[in-house]
Amino acid sequence: PRPAALGPRARLWPSLAAVYRAQLSRARVARIPLLFVATFQSVGIMILMRGVVDGGGEARAVVAGSSVLVVAFVALNLLAQYFGQLRASGGLDHYATLPVPPAAVVLGAAGAYASFTVPGTVVTAVFGCVLYGLPLAHLWILAAVIPLAGAALAGLGAALGLLAPRPELATLLGQLGMSAALLLGVLPPERMPEIVRLARDLLPSTYGVEAFARTFAPHPDWAHVLADLAVCGVVGVISLAVATWAYRRAAVR
């Protein structure tokens, strides 16, 4: 008898949608309290900075950085912990047996975690604008900032979790990444030393912060906004590609 023919290879987008829905329903209950913590943390930082920042470019940097910090907390910190625990517990073996491309697993999990950042980021941005007296007219730019910054940070978080040899180290790396997003993203760059500004330029979320902060100007420079978003998108593609490679590497070990 002839050997049975293999079924068609799973396509990327249907597999990605299935993984995304599964991750979203699984993490919905567990991640909502953590999202509240991320939002409360960013709001608290803006209230503390209100005592030393009056307005102008510094206020724009604080509000934009605090808003993107919500994305960093979930997409970078929590995703690094998730993939670190998944690797340590043998959960990658389960995904390796599923007929889905590796990219669908990484992108689905990253997209689900990044989706949880939308309410907290919007609430933080609106609160910050009211607190510092910034205009609300261009908050629609968050529709581009959240997915692009979320992709860059989620890819970085997934790569850290998959490459870390132990889940404790993955948690530590995620915490360090979020701390970098806090210190380099929220503090006004004008008050930083030159070497710290160079380190800030290497952080993926910096370009999302810059794009959002530019929209608070009376006449935003949309060319610079689009350039920052383009850089953020390119970094997101690269970081997700690295995360997919790290998933392949971890799944076969």
Side-chain angles (χ1 to χ4, degrees):
R2 294 182 178 180
L6 296 176
R9 185 178 181 180
R11 291 179 296 172
L12 175 62
W13 292 111
S15 302
L16 173 60
V19 174
Y20 174 81
R21 289 194 300 267
Q23 289 287 343
L24 197 65
S25 61
R26 179 181 180 183
R28 184 179 302 164
V29 177
R31 301 309 175 191
I32 287 179
L34 294 174
L35 178 59
F36 174 79
V37 172
T39 306
F40 183 79
Q41 172 184 260
S42 295
V43 170
I45 290 172
M46 289 191 297
I47 294 175
L48 290 175
M49 293 296 293
R50 187 65 179 86
V52 295
V53 174
D54 294 330
E58 294 182 347
R60 300 169 191 170
V62 170
V63 174
S66 299
S67 301
V68 177
L69 182 61
V70 180
V71 181
F73 183 88
V74 177
L76 175 58
N77 184 25
L78 297 185
L79 200 59
Q81 296 181 29
Y82 171 74
F83 274 108
Q85 295 173 357
L86 196 68
R87 180 184 179 186
S89 62
L92 292 180
D93 297 336
H94 166 71
Y95 283 106
T97 60
L98 297 177
V100 295
V105 177
V106 174
L107 293 174
Y113 274 72
S115 297
F116 284 102
T117 67
V118 175
T121 305
V122 173
V123 169
T124 302
V126 172
F127 181 85
C129 290
V130 174
L131 182 65
Y132 286 90
L134 298 177
L136 298 168
H138 300 301
L139 287 186
W140 54 264
I141 198 66
L142 289 175
V145 172
I146 293 176
L148 293 177
L153 294 172
L156 180 59
L160 292 176
L162 290 167
L163 294 175
R166 294 184 297 175
E168 296 83 3
L169 185 57
T171 301
L172 175 62
L173 293 175
Q175 291 284 352
L176 290 176
M178 191 199 68
S179 299
L182 168 61
L183 296 175
L184 302 179
V186 175
L187 298 179
E190 293 81 6
R191 301 189 179 187
M192 296 181 181
E194 186 63 28
I195 189 171
V196 179
R197 293 185 188 180
L198 294 176
R200 183 175 180 267
D201 292 338
L202 298 177
L203 193 67
S205 59
T206 297
Y207 302 95
V209 173
E210 290 291 337
F212 187 26
R214 293 182 193 276
T215 61
F216 292 129
H219 303 286
D221 188 346
W222 293 111
H224 279 84
V225 172
L226 292 177
D228 288 330
L229 292 177
V231 172
C232 200
V234 171
V235 174
V237 172
I238 295 174
S239 64
L240 288 172
V242 173
T244 302
W245 169 82
Y247 170 80
R248 294 175 184 269
R249 178 177 177 270
V252 299
R253 289 193 172 186

